[in-house]
Amino acid sequence: MGIAKIESFLTNRIEGFFNNRFHGDLEPVELFQSLEREILLKSKKVTGELIAPNDFTFFLEESDYGRLSSKRVIDALYEIAERKVIKNDSFMDKDLKIRLQKDKTLEAGEFKLQACFTENNDVESDAEEPHTIVLERSKFDVPLNLPNNPSLASLIVTEGNNEGATFELTDKMLYIGRREKSDITLSDDKISRLHAYITYERHRHYLIDAGSLNGSYVNDDRIDKAYIKDGDVIRLGETLLLYEVM
């Protein structure tokens, strides 16, 4: 997600809330932009794949921490990180972890971001000290009218009987086929009743053929299983679907 898209996203979801109350202070958009930059800077090549860090800690001044430590901000940080990994055609190993932490050495409006690769999902931040409050997504129990599985990307039918239809993709498995109970139902006689499905692995969407008669294609290449990149075109039967990151 580019900076322009982030700002549009924030206008609808978060930034307006904070601007109306805390004008001139540290804003969520600054955290979001910093997170995107850090993912780009800290990603590294491993055996031909670009791997993004999976553990992020924001250090905030106490009053900024008090204002920004909300489920809305934490959830938005997670969404932005997941989308950036896909947009950057990279992967992320292990679970994504994002924390907000107080830092008494910082002035109001200042923050620091630490990114690293962790193998153990239960590892705590090395920077934690006694009397330090650390906020993670798991600390929130009550939803604040936000989806449990936010949309990360979409499939847009660009050719076929369902042209114009859009299907949102989350981190959940989705079945594609002609049968009505499919998560994505396509009215195409060349598509099998259960044709393919989409999974979410290593923070990327994969298209997997389900043994269909006419096969599944990504950019004209027939596949059994393939990860999908932003802008890829999927062909199932006579239907074309464009994969786009939200």
Side-chain angles (χ1 to χ4, degrees):
M1 179 187 286
I3 298 302
K5 286 187 178 181
I6 288 180
E7 291 175 348
S8 175
F9 169 75
L10 292 172
T11 298
N12 296 328
R13 295 284 293 277
I14 295 174
E15 191 174 1
F17 172 83
F18 283 91
N19 281 342
N20 290 337
R21 293 162 174 77
F22 310 111
H23 182 70
D25 292 319
L26 179 65
E27 298 293 341
V29 67
E30 297 176 68
L31 305 185
F32 302 155
Q33 292 172 346
S34 178
L35 179 61
E36 278 211 326
R37 287 193 298 269
E38 198 72 1
I39 290 173
L40 288 176
L41 289 173
K42 294 295 177 65
S43 294
K44 59 184 182 181
K45 281 277 189 179
V46 180
T47 61
E49 294 180 336
L50 191 61
I51 308 298
N54 66 304
D55 193 304
F56 301 88
T57 302
F58 285 92
F59 298 90
L60 308 176
E61 181 271 339
E62 188 169 2
S63 63
D64 290 329
Y65 174 89
R67 290 188 300 101
L68 299 176
S69 55
S70 71
K71 188 177 187 297
R72 288 183 182 274
V73 172
I74 291 286
D75 280 354
L77 287 167
Y78 272 82
E79 291 178 37
I80 288 167
E82 298 278 12
R83 290 169 180 165
K84 190 61 178 179
V85 168
I86 303 172
K87 193 79 171 179
N88 196 39
D89 194 18
S90 53
F91 299 87
M92 184 182 290
D93 292 321
K94 304 297 182 180
D95 290 344
L96 172 61
K97 181 171 286 189
I98 300 176
R99 308 176 186 85
L100 301 183
Q101 182 168 325
K102 289 183 184 180
D103 188 330
K104 294 182 179 180
T105 68
L106 296 175
E107 299 291 335
E110 296 180 342
F111 73 94
K112 296 185 296 185
L113 174 57
Q114 173 183 292
C116 61
F117 298 82
T118 57
E119 294 296 327
N120 186 343
N121 291 329
D122 295 324
V123 171
E124 295 295 332
S125 171
D126 293 335
E128 292 180 27
E129 298 177 354
H131 311 298
T132 299
I133 298 177
V134 179
L135 187 68
E136 299 177 19
R137 196 181 205 182
S138 59
K139 302 289 178 66
F140 295 102
D141 296 322
V142 181
L144 298 179
N145 298 321
L146 291 177
N148 291 328
N149 302 108
S151 298
L152 302 174
S154 62
L155 287 178
I156 304 168
V157 180
T158 59
E159 186 175 317
N161 293 333
N162 300 98
E163 185 174 352
T166 299
F167 306 95
E168 296 185 354
L169 308 182
T170 66
D171 60 356
K172 300 300 181 184
M173 181 182 291
L174 295 178
Y175 293 93
I176 307 173
R178 208 173 65 250
R179 62 184 186 182
E180 291 185 2
K181 65 179 181 180
S182 296
D183 299 296
I184 297 177
T185 302
L186 299 172
S187 54
D188 183 335
D189 291 339
K190 299 295 179 66
I191 290 178
S192 300
R193 287 177 54 79
L194 174 57
H195 195 102
Y197 53 98
I198 291 177
T199 63
Y200 194 67
E201 306 171 23
R202 301 178 69 202
H203 303 264
R204 293 295 298 271
H205 288 116
Y206 282 76
L207 177 69
I208 302 174
D209 186 77
S212 64
L213 179 62
N214 292 316
S216 300
Y217 295 80
V218 177
N219 299 328
D220 293 327
D221 294 324
R222 185 163 183 165
I223 59 95
D224 292 319
K225 178 178 180 178
Y227 68 88
I228 322 170
K229 302 187 297 295
D230 187 41
D232 277 352
V233 175
I234 296 171
R235 176 162 61 87
L236 308 175
E238 296 181 344
T239 300
L240 297 182
L241 303 102
L242 175 65
Y243 176 81
E244 284 191 345
V245 180
M246 302 292 283

